[in-house]
Amino acid sequence: MSFEFFSLTDPGRARDNNEDSVAVDEQAGLAVLADGMGGYNAGEIASGMATAFIKSELGRWLTEAAGNASDTDVRRAMDICVENANRAIFNAANSNPQYSGMGTTLVLAVCRESRLLMGHIGDSRGYRFRNGRLTQITKDHSLLQEQIDAGLITPEQAAYSSNKNLVTRAVGVEDSVLLETHLHDLLSGDTILLCSDGLSDMISDDQIAAVLQGTNDLREAGAGLVAAANAAGGRDNIAVVLVRAQGTATTGRSWWPFRR
């Protein structure tokens, strides 16, 4: 199976700087997206460090070793590279006063044959678009999601909550971080979407699906998603990565978590 990639970031309509960052290594089948947070310029430092570090380290490992590596090996490499990126950002934040408190969300995808390894930290998301149906395949690490899980609020109420941007897990804010990773099957024609909350907070899943349904061109779809988020207000930076799976694939369970 082969994979086509497209990525795009946009500052949105309300902010001058862009704290979202994306990186793609097509040869390695790797896509990374991060949404930074922190003081002046610190968020874009954190997100840029995360995407550059993971693309370099994990991309190199995947190119050199993935042909003989099991999915468990790849998952372990993802864990190690993210932990190393976390430590680099944490150390930078603690050694430079202007970067104090910086951190970033993270979502990354490793495409292998007919399988996808998706890892995430925070509230940047991963979706799979298959046969006209959009499915969110990550679950936000956020206070809002915890409130939904506890039955304190409904998903409908969550759309209007003031707690939208409070994440419970982020890269670089503590000396260690846990990457949540799941394995998913891929079929020919599937489209994987990685996005920051600048997209998912501005337009609904139905609107995202409508854009993806409207074109087979990834560049056009990515531009359409960014335009829709800006048309809805563009209150935050917007980042999208689209991956299209093409060719022969095997079927299997839709997803299951790795066990430690």
Side-chain angles (χ1 to χ4, degrees):
M1 179 174 285
S2 63
F3 301 96
E4 177 187 0
F5 292 80
F6 175 76
S7 62
L8 179 65
T9 68
D10 187 271
R13 290 187 168 180
R15 300 189 178 186
D16 294 328
N17 65 323
N18 191 348
E19 296 184 330
D20 288 358
S21 178
V22 296
V24 169
D25 185 333
E26 296 193 25
Q27 182 179 1
L30 172 66
V32 191
L33 182 150
D35 179 357
M37 62 193 78
Y40 178 71
N41 286 340
E44 61 195 65
I45 297 297
S47 63
M49 287 180 66
T51 55
F53 190 100
I54 294 169
K55 177 184 178 181
S56 174
E57 297 299 315
L58 184 57
R60 181 171 64 247
W61 185 89
L62 288 168
T63 300
E64 295 175 352
N68 297 316
S70 67
D71 290 336
T72 300
D73 294 333
V74 174
R75 189 262 182 157
R76 188 177 299 111
M78 293 167 67
D79 283 343
I80 292 170
C81 288
V82 169
E83 188 60 45
N84 288 343
N86 178 82
R87 181 55 63 92
I89 296 168
F90 179 79
N91 288 342
N94 282 277
S95 59
N96 298 279
Q98 66 270 34
Y99 299 153
S100 178
M102 74 176 179
T104 183
T105 69
L106 179 70
V107 58
L108 67 153
V110 177
C111 301
R112 311 191 76 211
E113 299 291 337
S114 58
R115 305 179 308 287
L116 166 72
L117 288 92
M118 178 78 78
H120 78 289
I121 295 167
D123 61 0
S124 290
R125 292 180 177 178
Y127 292 86
R128 183 179 59 196
F129 184 68
R130 173 182 290 173
N131 296 327
R133 180 180 179 183
L134 185 73
T135 303
Q136 183 180 336
I137 55 176
T138 59
K139 189 173 185 179
D140 295 351
H141 301 133
S142 67
L143 178 61
L144 199 61
Q145 186 62 57
E146 290 185 356
Q147 291 175 329
I148 293 171
D149 292 345
L152 299 176
I153 61 173
T154 67
E156 292 73 25
Q157 291 170 326
Y160 303 98
S161 172
S162 60
N163 295 328
K164 272 191 173 184
N165 302 118
L166 299 178
V167 296
T168 56
R169 198 182 302 186
V171 180
V173 297
E174 297 181 350
D175 61 359
S176 183
V177 71
L178 178 63
L179 179 72
E180 181 174 348
T181 311
H182 295 270
L183 182 66
H184 308 260
D185 73 321
L186 287 175
L187 302 179
S188 183
D190 284 355
T191 299
I192 301 303
L193 166 66
L194 312 182
C195 70
S196 64
D197 63 352
L199 180 75
S200 57
D201 278 355
M202 297 308 304
I203 61 176
S204 68
D205 287 3
D206 287 343
Q207 290 173 295
I208 294 174
V211 172
L212 296 178
Q213 184 68 31
T215 178
N216 288 321
D217 184 273
L218 292 190
R219 182 176 298 273
E220 183 178 337
L225 290 171
V226 169
N230 277 326
R235 292 191 298 269
D236 199 353
N237 307 145
I238 308 155
V240 299
V241 178
L242 292 167
V243 187
R244 172 78 46 75
Q246 302 173 96
T248 303
T250 59
T251 59
R253 290 189 289 178
S254 59
W255 70 271
W256 61 95
F258 283 96
R259 304 294 184 186
R260 282 196 178 274

